[in-house]
Amino acid sequence: METVITTDKLTKRFGSFVAASELSFEVHRGEIFGFLGANGAGKTTAMRMLCGLLTPSSGKARIAGFDIYHETEKIKRNIGYMSQKFSLYDDLTVSENIRFYAGIYGMSIPAIKQKTKELLEELQLVNEAKTLVRELPLGWKQKLAFSVSIVHDPEIVFLDEPTGGVDPVTRRQFWDLIYAAADKGVTIFVTTHYMDEAEYCNRVSIMVDGVIAALDSPAGLKHQYGNQSMEDVFYELARKAKRGE
Amino acid sequence: MITIDKLTKTYNKGQVLAIKDVSLEVKRGELFGLIGPDGAGKTTIFRILTTLLLADKGTATVNGCDVVKDYVKIRNNVGYMPGRFSLYQDLTIEENLNFFATVFGTSIRENYDLIKDIYIQIEPFKDRRAGKLSGGMKQKLALCCALIHKPAVLFLDEPTTGVDVVSRKEFWEMLARLKAEGITIMVSTPYMDEANRCDRIALIQKGQILSVDTPAGIVGQFPVDLYAVHSANTHKLLREVRNYPGTDSCFAFGDALHVTFKGGAAGAHEAGAGPAGLTNYLRERGLADVGMEKIPPGVEDCFIQLLKS
């Protein structure tokens, strides 16, 4: 299997505090990889390193084939990122948001035009192209936010709690989009606090106190810890956390 | 303890409807949950009840006081923990708590018993600035500050959003202890699994109440039989079950699908329809390892069902 993320003892220290300690794992092409952890376990630090936004203290990593120390700009061009908190500009229209993100990623004007047309059709938003994003229902916004995060056809997309606060139906529709993107070969790296969503991932890692405490398929983890659900597995691992958050 | 009568609130000169004709009653000593997604109108209800926002129409009282006429009395008698962290980031833990105690004319010592269980967990860091705290610690400090004047009613707007499973469990245990002290609590959450921790809940979506009852009562109103369907290949299973002509609704729930069938109980026994026909249908399409059982619905199943109707 082709790997798109490889890390080897990736570590980040802030002074004497080791935020992320010797993370070693691989993520395969087209995989949905769930990156879980308690608050303060070091998830954000790890994500920031993987996205080329934070220089590691030690260890190695390659993201989409690029070195995490020397090729961060190439990494940024080859990944997408979406968070629940901030993704779209409310005071821009649907097509302006697409154009903005595509432009940021350096796509040519003809390519942007073509992509906008495709996306609007795919999302069934043709009639809403000139609607301000703030006027869209939350579910449509979510879909649009996800689509613009992969507008430049990245190898990997990082989703940081993409479904927080979303209603139960929209949350599940969002996972349909994730599945569809993964089927096309986009690698999905996702964090979530919904433990039922951890079950939708191919593999899941759980960080506790800066280290990866467990990594396997949801079925494998449940078997290993003798638990009924991912929530039980997570609870068992995360409650052992000693770090004062 | 709290009465809400046909509250309506719009924003942007009437263009955006936040809540419409919302009526509710919360009894003294009750732990009451407002369950719904972002944009449902939960925060608007909290802000009206805590006298920070005026409704367009309707009335509400808290502890017998009108939210418009008696707003000063209400402010002295309620604790409010807003969804967004609203303490002073550049004051320390202890300074924040002292500040809120002083504003309400009391002292940390006077009501220490009430906050003790929570405060001792953050006390080792009492000289740390609030802005430098982790999510879980901020949440505990905010709860202490909302409690320091021993309020009769506690309003908690999404206290567990973005908080991990362990901290969420701890937080609900704290709420159970406060309830035992006799404090009436109104709490909102987007996490459906937390609904079971409440005495009664209101399911809310797009500014309207879908249902109000005990969690058991809500679940009891689920109108049809619900089945859990498993297979090792959940993704393929989801596609095929959706294509099955007898399927009414099908949603992923963790490692299973929750499925309802058309025609209710009648359809259940017809060949080629209902749950009886599904296993065959799936086997013909290459899913041989399918398991299926009838299950009791959860609050999230009910919410999805109510959204549909």
Side-chain angles (χ1 to χ4, degrees):
Chain A
M1 248 180 291
E2 195 185 348
T3 61
V4 287
I5 297 176
T6 315
T7 74
D8 184 17
K9 294 189 177 173
L10 195 63
T11 299
K12 181 67 191 183
R13 287 183 207 88
F14 296 103
S16 61
F17 179 72
V18 187
S21 176
E22 302 202 346
L23 309 181
S24 300
F25 63 96
E26 287 182 346
V27 181
H28 313 301
R29 181 174 302 281
E31 185 172 32
I32 303 175
F33 190 86
F35 195 63
L36 311 185
N39 297 116
K43 278 191 319 256
T44 305
T45 300
M47 286 259 269
R48 287 175 56 82
M49 286 194 284
L50 299 178
C51 291
L53 299 170
L54 187 66
T55 310
S57 306
S58 61
K60 285 184 254 176
R62 294 189 83 77
I63 312 297
F66 300 108
D67 181 77
I68 204 167
Y69 292 94
H70 307 296
E71 298 174 304
T72 53
E73 286 313 307
K74 283 182 187 158
I75 289 175
K76 288 177 202 167
R77 279 177 183 275
N78 285 282
I79 62 169
Y81 178 83
M82 173 193 166
S83 80
Q84 160 71 10
K85 283 174 196 143
F86 175 81
S87 291
L88 299 169
Y89 291 90
D90 262 352
D91 49 356
L92 295 183
T93 66
V94 170
S95 62
E96 282 168 347
N97 265 288
I98 298 172
R99 200 173 84 206
F100 175 80
Y101 278 93
I104 288 277
Y105 281 112
M107 288 169 66
S108 70
I109 289 169
I112 292 175
K113 275 194 175 147
Q114 178 62 27
K115 192 78 189 186
T116 303
K117 191 166 165 280
E118 278 171 28
L119 268 185
L120 290 175
E121 279 167 13
E122 211 176 288
L123 294 168
Q124 299 175 327
L125 284 174
V126 176
N127 294 326
E128 282 78 18
K130 289 182 179 157
T131 304
L132 290 182
V133 159
R134 82 160 82 90
E135 282 158 23
L136 291 183
L138 186 64
W140 296 14
K141 267 193 213 179
Q142 288 282 115
K143 288 178 196 172
L144 181 62
F146 181 68
S147 297
V148 299
S149 75
I150 54 171
V151 71
H152 55 301
D153 295 322
E155 306 251 342
I156 309 158
V157 62
F158 290 85
L159 306 174
D160 195 0
E161 292 184 35
T163 55
V166 174
D167 75 68
V169 175
T170 306
R171 200 153 72 78
R172 288 169 173 83
Q173 286 169 348
F174 191 78
W175 273 87
D176 289 344
L177 287 183
I178 293 182
Y179 280 134
D183 282 348
K184 284 186 204 160
V186 181
T187 305
I188 314 284
F189 191 95
V190 59
T191 73
T192 179
H193 282 305
Y194 290 100
M195 287 304 125
D196 59 333
E197 293 185 347
E199 305 267 9
Y200 309 157
C201 301
N202 298 118
R203 287 189 306 147
V204 167
S205 74
I206 299 177
M207 271 187 92
V208 179
D209 287 349
V211 303
I212 292 182
L215 196 169
D216 203 341
S217 65
L221 287 174
K222 282 185 283 184
H223 181 73
Q224 189 183 337
Y225 289 90
N227 285 317
Q228 292 289 313
S229 69
M230 280 304 293
E231 172 145 356
D232 297 334
V233 173
F234 184 91
Y235 188 75
E236 189 170 329
L237 283 165
R239 82 193 156 104
K240 291 181 195 144
K242 293 199 177 65
R243 200 137 102 179
E245 299 186 55
Chain B
M1 195 60 163
I2 302 172
T3 63
I4 303 177
D5 190 22
K6 291 186 183 158
L7 277 186
T8 297
K9 174 72 191 176
T10 58
Y11 297 112
N12 285 359
K13 294 173 186 157
Q15 284 177 24
V16 181
L17 182 73
I19 53 169
K20 186 169 191 286
D21 285 334
V22 168
S23 298
L24 278 179
E25 276 192 14
V26 178
K27 294 173 200 136
R28 186 173 299 272
E30 201 169 29
L31 175 50
F32 189 92
L34 275 181
I35 317 284
D38 288 358
K42 304 189 298 288
T43 300
T44 298
I45 294 173
F46 277 113
R47 292 179 59 83
I48 292 171
L49 292 176
T50 51
T51 78
L52 300 172
L53 192 68
L54 291 171
D56 297 356
K57 274 187 274 176
T59 56
T61 67
V62 176
N63 202 9
C65 302
D66 183 88
V67 289
V68 182
K69 282 192 301 233
D70 308 320
Y71 73 94
V72 178
K73 269 192 208 158
I74 292 180
R75 288 182 188 184
N76 280 318
N77 279 311
V78 304
Y80 174 40
M81 183 171 156
R84 188 176 291 173
F85 184 69
S86 304
L87 303 181
Y88 295 94
Q89 312 253 4
D90 50 355
L91 295 185
T92 65
I93 286 182
E94 197 176 24
E95 285 166 345
N96 265 296
L97 195 55
N98 251 323
F99 174 82
F100 281 92
T102 312
V103 163
F104 283 106
T106 182
S107 63
I108 297 181
R109 190 173 302 168
E110 201 169 327
N111 290 318
Y112 189 72
D113 278 352
L114 194 59
I115 62 162
K116 191 180 143 202
D117 283 350
I118 309 158
Y119 190 61
I120 48 171
Q121 301 174 49
I122 52 172
E123 207 170 11
F125 312 97
K126 66 181 185 190
D127 295 325
R128 196 180 287 181
R129 289 183 187 197
K132 296 278 180 200
L133 299 175
S134 70
M137 280 163 69
K138 278 181 178 164
Q139 181 202 44
K140 283 172 189 148
L141 176 59
L143 184 58
C144 287
C145 290
L147 277 171
I148 195 61
H149 58 299
K150 202 169 186 187
V153 187
L154 190 57
F155 292 100
L156 306 169
D157 194 1
E158 296 207 14
T160 54
T161 292
V163 174
D164 70 58
V165 171
V166 178
S167 306
R168 277 168 54 193
K169 268 198 173 132
E170 278 178 9
F171 196 83
W172 280 96
E173 281 157 17
M174 287 188 264
L175 293 192
R177 283 198 293 272
L178 293 172
K179 178 185 141 63
E181 297 273 340
I183 297 177
T184 305
I185 304 171
M186 189 177 203
V187 57
S188 68
T189 177
Y191 297 106
M192 306 279 153
D193 57 335
E194 295 182 343
N196 292 319
R197 302 273 195 159
C198 303
D199 296 323
R200 285 192 309 141
I201 52 175
L203 301 182
I204 177 168
Q205 164 82 339
K206 292 186 181 150
Q208 288 181 294
I209 305 278
L210 303 172
S211 189
V212 184
D213 207 332
T214 59
I218 296 248
V219 165
Q221 287 163 24
F222 197 76
V224 290
D225 287 345
L226 182 70
Y227 292 84
V229 184
H230 305 261
S231 162
N233 191 345
T234 312
H235 188 192
K236 180 169 181 188
L237 183 70
L238 184 64
R239 259 197 326 256
E240 297 298 349
V241 175
R242 279 183 185 159
N243 286 336
Y244 177 62
T247 299
D248 187 34
S249 73
C250 168
F251 292 97
F253 272 75
D255 62 351
L257 304 184
H258 287 190
V259 184
T260 63
F261 294 95
K262 287 175 189 159
H269 303 292
E270 281 170 40
L278 180 63
T279 322
N280 259 336
Y281 179 90
L282 293 173
R283 194 176 301 123
E284 283 163 16
R285 281 155 186 81
L287 285 161
D289 66 336
V290 175
M292 177 158 59
E293 78 244 0
K294 205 174 133 184
I295 53 160
V299 170
E300 189 155 10
D301 293 300
C302 297
F303 197 96
I304 290 176
Q305 182 75 20
L306 288 164
L307 287 185
K308 239 175 53 178
S309 50

